[in-house]
Amino acid sequence: MVKKERIARVLVVLFVFIAVLIFVVGWLKNQNLNADSIQIHARMPENGGWSVTSINAETNQPIHLKLTSDDVVHGFAIGKTNHPAVDIFPGEFVETTLLFDKPGTYTFYCTRWCGVNHWRMRGTIDVRGEGPLVTNPPPAYLQLGIDIDTEHEAEVIPATDVSPQTGSLFADDLPSYVLDQETYFSNSPAKIWMRLRAEPTLSELSDQEVWDVVAWIWQKNTSPSMIETGQTLYAENCAACHGETGKGDGIMVRDLPKHDSDEHSTNDPHSESGMGGLIRPHDFTDANHVLGASPALFSGKIIRGGMGTGMPYWGPIFTEEQINALVSYIYTFAW
Ligand code: HEC
Ligand SMILES: [Cu+2]
């Protein structure tokens, strides 16, 4: 009797010991795995988004990621870095190694249109280490005091197509402020047109010729390669809402009511969306709308987003050059 009890007791102790051992070994193994690589599952935002949304890293210490998708095809990229985007296919693992040489907070995001809330698939990587922190300067629209949320219809628009080439013929007659990058950045084409129209030295020019000058100024502040970069970024990140041709008819918004100022309709664009407040964007081919906006306003909108309109914020994703490229590209729809 006593013997049996003893055996039972030993067995229990042994059992508990083995259980603890299994647990500890499992935990250690897990720790080890984590040190070697981080496994991340991608799911559509409705299904939970990224399984990991914050990653810690140290400068100059590689981190290995094992990525897979639990539903549709997603993509993985990190804003403001040159790390190549990785496609993530359901049921497959793809590995990638990240290396940061500057401390700061980076944003990783999905690059594939996986659904309406696609752009919400974002997470952060906190990189610690020596060196100056990578930070973002405040967007220019704040310093310039431009309200990016008010309507900005153009006071004037060109009667016909503009010709930057013709505009360049008057280059020598222009007041010098016109060629400042600052002037371009903080004024809408319509504003600059009005300023030039009021210049006594340009009184000989026709209204259309003044527009040609404005178009030339816009051309001077961009370049074919910038437009090309803008076009690529736009196709990947913006066309799903703003439409391939900029008309505001991308697949994500096609069925939503039109924007008030576009059709002078009585539709309240906010009323029926039911998609996290997504409304239909303005028509970028509408000169009335686009020529009334300054590059600072457009870039501010892109950086900050729409605050409840469904326009995503891209500040942590794109570099200043990329945002300027997008802005140059947007004007090409309207000219
Ligand atoms: C999920 C849909 C969606 C995506 C994706 C999107 N936008 Fe928008 N965008 C909107 C909506 C809706 C508006 C209108 C409401 C507003 O101005 O906030 C808007 C407004 C804007 C405006 C302001 C227009 C104006 O005249 O005030 C700019 C500029 C803009 N988007 C640029 C972009 C760029 C560049 C991208 C891609 C990098 C992009 N958008 C991606 C939905 C989207
Ligand atoms: Cu996705």
Side-chain angles (χ1 to χ4, degrees):
M1 199 58 200
V2 174
K3 213 174 173 190
K4 257 189 187 165
E5 209 171 86
R6 215 167 159 178
I7 289 173
R9 218 176 268 162
V10 169
L11 273 179
V12 165
V13 168
L14 207 72
F15 188 75
V16 167
F17 179 76
I18 288 171
V20 167
L21 201 73
I22 288 174
F23 179 80
V24 167
V25 167
W27 182 77
L28 276 177
K29 228 171 141 183
N30 226 331
Q31 284 298 98
N32 227 330
L33 242 177
N34 280 347
D36 284 337
S37 74
I38 302 171
Q39 220 180 77
I40 305 181
H41 290 250
R43 305 173 202 117
M44 287 165 66
E46 300 80 58
N47 304 337
W50 299 108
S51 63
V52 173
T53 52
S54 85
I55 299 172
N56 291 315
E58 305 233 354
T59 46
N60 303 316
Q61 297 224 355
I63 34 175
H64 305 288
L65 302 184
K66 281 182 83 176
L67 304 160
T68 188
S69 165
D70 293 347
D71 44 35
V72 296
V73 181
H74 296 277
F76 176 92
I78 303 165
K80 301 189 175 205
T81 68
N82 296 324
H83 186 77
V86 182
D87 283 335
I88 312 170
F89 295 99
E92 287 174 28
F93 276 93
V94 55
E95 298 190 27
T96 185
T97 300
L98 315 178
L99 191 63
F100 299 89
D101 58 2
K102 293 189 193 75
T105 301
Y106 298 80
T107 296
F108 66 88
Y109 65 104
C110 177
T111 53
R112 292 291 203 110
W113 279 97
C114 54
V116 228
N117 289 310
H118 149 77
W119 69 270
R120 291 180 206 274
M121 276 184 79
R122 294 184 181 178
T124 53
I125 306 172
D126 261 307
V127 181
R128 285 155 187 267
E130 302 284 300
L133 212 64
V134 175
T135 52
N136 305 319
Y141 77 91
L142 287 176
Q143 283 149 330
L144 294 167
I146 295 176
D147 179 359
I148 60 174
D149 294 311
T150 53
E151 289 297 328
H152 46 77
E153 297 303 292
E155 297 86 342
V156 274
I157 57 165
T160 60
D161 286 349
V162 292
S163 159
Q165 237 142 338
T166 309
S168 71
L169 302 176
F170 308 107
D172 294 340
D173 309 331
L174 300 178
S176 60
Y177 70 79
V178 165
L179 301 173
D180 286 350
Q181 213 197 343
E182 173 74 28
T183 307
Y184 155 82
F185 195 67
S186 54
N187 287 283
S188 68
K191 276 264 149 52
I192 301 222
W193 185 91
M194 289 191 293
R195 271 171 87 172
L196 293 178
R197 187 67 291 183
E199 291 287 346
T201 51
L202 301 176
S203 58
E204 301 280 284
L205 272 62
S206 70
D207 284 356
Q208 187 63 28
E209 283 168 337
V210 175
W211 272 116
D212 293 341
V213 170
V214 177
W216 174 74
I217 296 168
W218 250 249
Q219 192 185 63
K220 263 190 76 73
N221 279 283
T222 177
S223 67
S225 79
M226 237 173 118
I227 304 264
E228 209 180 296
T229 303
Q231 183 169 21
T232 310
L233 292 172
Y234 180 90
E236 284 167 6
N237 301 284
C238 324
C241 290
H242 288 279
E244 288 300 334
T245 58
K247 281 189 148 318
D249 58 357
I251 46 166
M252 296 292 159
V253 298
R254 217 165 263 170
D255 302 328
L256 301 177
K258 281 220 164 166
H259 212 279
D260 265 353
S261 55
D262 284 347
E263 278 215 326
H264 305 285
S265 69
T266 49
N267 270 338
D268 173 3
H270 294 268
S271 62
E272 276 172 73
S273 79
M275 287 200 224
L278 181 61
I279 63 167
R280 236 178 128 135
H282 284 290
D283 181 352
F284 286 148
T285 66
D286 178 1
N288 276 304
H289 189 75
V290 169
L291 300 186
S294 61
L297 185 149
F298 278 158
S299 67
K301 204 46 160 293
I302 298 169
I303 291 168
R304 194 214 60 185
M307 309 282 245
T309 61
M311 166 65 188
Y313 60 95
W314 303 93
I317 308 285
F318 296 131
T319 61
E320 203 181 334
E321 292 80 50
Q322 287 174 319
I323 288 171
N324 289 339
L326 281 162
V327 170
S328 321
Y329 183 63
I330 288 173
Y331 283 109
T332 65
F333 290 123
W335 284 117

